[in-house]
Amino acid sequence: MPDTIFAMFLRFYFTVLVTLCVSRRSASIVEASVIGAQQCGNTTTMCNAAQDCCDMQYSPTKFGCKIQGSDSCCMPGPPLAPSTTLKNCLIIGDSVSIGYYSYVDVIEKELAGICQVQHGPWDVSDGGAGATTEGVACLDNWLVTQAQEPVKWDVIQFNFGLHNLEDNTTEGLHNYSTQLLNITNRLEATGAKLLYALTTPFMPDATQGDFVVEALNKAAESIMSTKNIPLVDLYSVVTQHCGKVYKDCDWCRMHPCSYHYNPTGEAAQAHVVAAALKTALGAN
């Protein structure tokens, strides 16, 4: 008799457990349908109703979101749900920003208890935000999480430049300025405090007399000045250590120098970015 009662109890327990699991799964499905999100494969990446899931080689989940009627497959937004106890900070940029953002010992430690910092897009091995053309197309996807959760960002630092180097013409600079202004206006609409990180040097061009990075930074500075958006001068952080024009530097990942920096160079930039975020948050 006791065994029978115990068996009945176990059946009842597991029935309740399964019911709860199914209910939670159903609630998740309902919630996803309310926000119009669709799951990409069996991953954590989701796309909204106006997008289709697309293959993205360098996405951590191998998926991105393609805007219907567009050729752009956009990398997913930040991976974590927005913090409900800390401020929410976003860094938008290319592989250089992925490099210094990856120094969690610097950025996370210096902002511990103040702000949850994430990178948009969610990318750990490719070009991140890419050129301004990608920024115009994909910005909205980077302002929500990879699960399409809206975030009330407190501070957004952004940069575009190294993926715009190929067209160093009057038309190219005009297109860069127009597209960067489009991105800036949309970021302003979020209500977040904005910071603009100046593009770091690309010496293979500069040593040949092509100062396209400097021209892009000048155009960006002009836009940010009219909008009173503070600059995070990572360009000067590098040149003050490596020199105004240089072929090699002990901060560079490759020798002679190219786009990227070694751990020492990335950590130096991370300290400056962390300090800028703290200032914007009034946490200094």
Side-chain angles (χ1 to χ4, degrees):
M1 184 69 173
D3 290 343
T4 303
I5 294 174
F6 182 70
M8 291 175 62
F9 171 78
L10 284 179
R11 285 197 295 272
F12 174 76
Y13 174 80
F14 283 112
T15 300
V16 170
L17 184 62
V18 170
T19 301
L20 286 173
C21 291
V22 171
S23 297
R24 288 179 180 177
R25 181 177 176 84
S26 298
S28 299
I29 293 171
V30 170
E31 182 181 0
S33 66
V34 169
I35 64 173
Q38 56 176 316
Q39 186 178 15
C40 297
N42 189 29
T43 74
T44 53
T45 295
M46 304 186 80
C47 298
N48 66 38
Q51 301 170 330
D52 297 313
C53 295
C54 52
D55 293 331
M56 175 59 72
Q57 179 181 359
Y58 295 106
S59 163
T61 64
K62 304 302 181 186
F63 282 101
C65 296
K66 184 176 181 180
I67 302 171
Q68 293 174 1
S70 168
D71 292 331
S72 297
C73 182
C74 300
M75 295 285 286
L80 303 179
S83 175
T84 57
T85 57
L86 304 175
K87 300 291 187 180
N88 287 282
C89 299
L90 179 65
I91 295 174
I92 297 175
D94 56 28
S95 54
V96 171
S97 64
I98 293 171
Y100 59 70
Y101 167 73
S102 68
Y103 271 77
V104 293
D105 286 346
V106 175
I107 290 184
E108 285 194 6
K109 183 177 180 180
E110 294 189 13
L111 288 157
I114 301 171
C115 188
Q116 175 177 274
V117 186
Q118 301 200 69
H119 191 279
W122 184 26
D123 178 6
V124 295
S125 61
D126 192 34
T132 48
T133 51
E134 293 173 79
V136 170
C138 298
L139 182 64
D140 293 344
N141 206 54
W142 304 336
L143 292 175
V144 297
T145 73
Q146 58 141 348
Q148 297 296 316
E149 296 171 276
V151 184
K152 176 62 178 174
W153 298 106
D154 295 284
V155 179
I156 299 174
Q157 177 190 289
F158 65 113
N159 163 266
F160 290 87
L162 288 178
H163 288 262
N164 286 82
L165 299 185
E166 293 184 2
D167 191 1
N168 187 15
T169 64
T170 300
E171 183 180 1
L173 290 172
H174 173 75
N175 290 338
Y176 172 80
S177 295
T178 300
Q179 291 162 358
L180 184 60
L181 180 60
N182 174 292
I183 293 165
T184 305
N185 288 339
R186 289 158 64 188
L187 290 175
E188 280 188 311
T190 67
K193 293 181 180 179
L194 301 183
L195 301 169
Y196 185 80
L198 291 180
T199 300
T200 50
F202 183 61
M203 284 300 145
D205 281 347
T207 54
Q208 299 298 314
D210 183 354
F211 294 97
V212 59
V213 167
E214 291 72 16
L216 294 176
N217 276 341
K218 184 176 180 180
E221 286 185 68
S222 177
I223 292 172
M224 304 310 149
S225 176
T226 63
K227 293 179 171 294
N228 296 313
I229 296 173
L231 300 175
V232 182
D233 192 356
L234 297 181
Y235 179 90
S236 293
V237 169
V238 175
T239 57
Q240 286 171 5
H241 177 82
C242 296
K244 189 68 176 177
V245 178
Y246 55 90
K247 289 187 177 180
D248 208 351
C249 177
D250 61 354
W251 278 6
C252 294
R253 185 183 302 176
M254 297 180 63
H255 304 282
C257 295
S258 183
Y259 298 100
H260 299 120
Y261 300 90
N262 62 25
T264 303
E266 290 176 336
Q269 294 173 57
H271 282 296
V272 174
V273 170
L277 292 174
K278 288 176 70 175
T279 298
L281 292 166
N284 277 339

